[in-house]
Amino acid sequence: MAENGEEQKSRHQEVGHKSLLQSDALYQYILETSVYPREPECMKELRELTAKHPWNIMTTSADEGQFLNMLLKLINAKNTMEIGVYTGYSLLATALAIPEDGKILAMDINKENYELGLPVIEKAGVAHKIDFREGPALPVLDQMIEDEKNHGSFDFIFVDADKDNYINYHKRLIDLVKVGGLIGYDNTLWNGSVVAPPDAPLRKYVRYYRDFVLELNKALAADPRIEICMLPVGDGITLCRRVK
């Protein structure tokens, strides 16, 4: 059915830079009705701090943070990993969800951004759960894979990093996550560009990474070692449950 002019106007390009919903009002309704009233004070503080940062487009959206927090509780995750941390909003959501003796191996190439959010994480009383490593994740993953005891040792892994390496991450993470465990790949709908025509006007970085996202989505759909579910939360997240 064709949209009328008003409906077309209500469509947004990058509302909150993280929603794929058809209207700003609908996304705002979700935030104000479900997310913000239940958002822990520490997460609100970190979200507002991050909003002032020039790279705030990189942060996990508040609704996705809420989703991750509940998901981790549902699967009783204890040993987790996060590739791509930025200021730590999704990291804090994870740290609050896992038990007191839970662990998060967190990797990012920029420690300065992580240190922006660290005082909030420390104030929340969950910094002891985080093992932060500065630098590229692939060498760390390769080193971990060499030790058999790391195989199948992670309950949950969240990837929100360099899209051109998602396939390389997957090749390694599939050995590190346990059978029945989950890997979550963020941005798998990539600003909606995965269905944009070739001549669509896209920002340079969106166009550059789109092919890598499309390649990942195709590879995950064909991987017999996992069950997958792609959700239009935030900028799209694909959950992969390892089955063998």
Side-chain angles (χ1 to χ4, degrees):
M1 184 185 289
E3 293 174 320
N4 62 36
E6 265 326 292
E7 287 171 329
Q8 187 64 42
K9 267 188 215 170
S10 74
R11 281 190 178 275
H12 60 281
Q13 296 305 306
E14 291 183 316
V15 59
H17 68 259
K18 289 290 179 174
S19 174
L20 297 162
L21 294 174
Q22 290 186 342
S23 75
D24 294 11
L26 190 53
Y27 183 49
Q28 199 62 30
Y29 174 81
I30 292 172
L31 293 175
E32 291 178 359
T33 306
S34 170
V35 181
Y36 293 159
R38 294 298 189 98
E39 185 180 36
E41 193 58 38
C42 56
M43 290 191 66
K44 179 184 177 184
E45 183 180 350
L46 184 50
R47 174 170 56 81
E48 291 177 346
L49 181 153
T50 304
K52 298 170 186 171
H53 193 269
W55 301 346
N56 59 34
I57 197 169
M58 291 166 52
T59 192
T60 300
S61 62
D63 53 320
E64 186 173 11
Q66 184 186 57
F67 169 73
L68 290 172
N69 183 271
M70 180 172 283
L71 179 66
L72 285 153
K73 291 171 181 173
L74 287 171
I75 65 171
N76 295 313
K78 184 175 180 182
N79 192 36
T80 72
M81 183 193 302
E82 183 161 325
I83 301 176
V85 171
Y86 186 40
T87 61
Y89 187 79
S90 56
L91 188 63
L92 181 54
T94 300
L96 291 170
I98 63 177
E100 188 62 20
D101 60 344
K103 295 294 176 191
I104 312 165
L105 172 59
M107 292 175 275
D108 199 292
I109 58 171
N110 190 321
K111 191 175 184 179
E112 284 183 21
N113 290 335
Y114 169 63
E115 288 176 340
L116 283 175
L118 185 55
V120 180
I121 293 170
E122 288 174 337
K123 190 163 68 173
V126 292
H128 65 282
K129 301 179 186 181
I130 299 166
D131 174 13
F132 181 84
R133 313 272 185 93
E134 183 179 22
L138 287 174
V140 178
L141 298 178
D142 286 336
Q143 190 175 15
M144 291 178 70
I145 287 170
E146 288 176 10
D147 189 342
E148 286 280 338
K149 73 177 184 186
N150 293 319
H151 289 212
S153 64
F154 286 88
D155 304 309
F156 180 78
I157 301 171
F158 183 57
V159 184
D160 182 8
D162 42 335
K163 316 307 166 203
D164 44 348
N165 266 321
Y166 269 28
I167 287 279
N168 293 322
Y169 292 140
H170 186 67
K171 288 174 183 174
R172 293 155 173 83
L173 297 179
I174 197 68
D175 289 328
L176 295 173
V177 72
K178 72 179 185 182
V179 173
L182 290 178
I183 307 171
Y185 290 103
D186 203 24
N187 307 112
T188 51
L189 294 175
W190 199 229
N191 287 247
S193 68
V194 289
V195 293
D199 59 347
L202 300 172
R203 294 183 182 186
K204 273 186 181 178
Y205 80 93
V206 173
R207 183 175 297 282
Y208 174 75
Y209 287 114
R210 177 177 61 171
D211 287 346
F212 294 107
V213 173
L214 289 168
E215 180 189 12
L216 172 80
N217 291 342
K218 195 177 291 186
L220 295 181
D223 190 338
R225 299 168 296 180
I226 55 173
E227 296 172 337
I228 65 170
C229 179
M230 181 184 279
L231 298 168
V233 175
D235 192 27
I237 180 171
T238 299
L239 299 178
C240 307
R241 178 175 177 268
R242 184 182 174 190
V243 291
K244 60 182 177 179

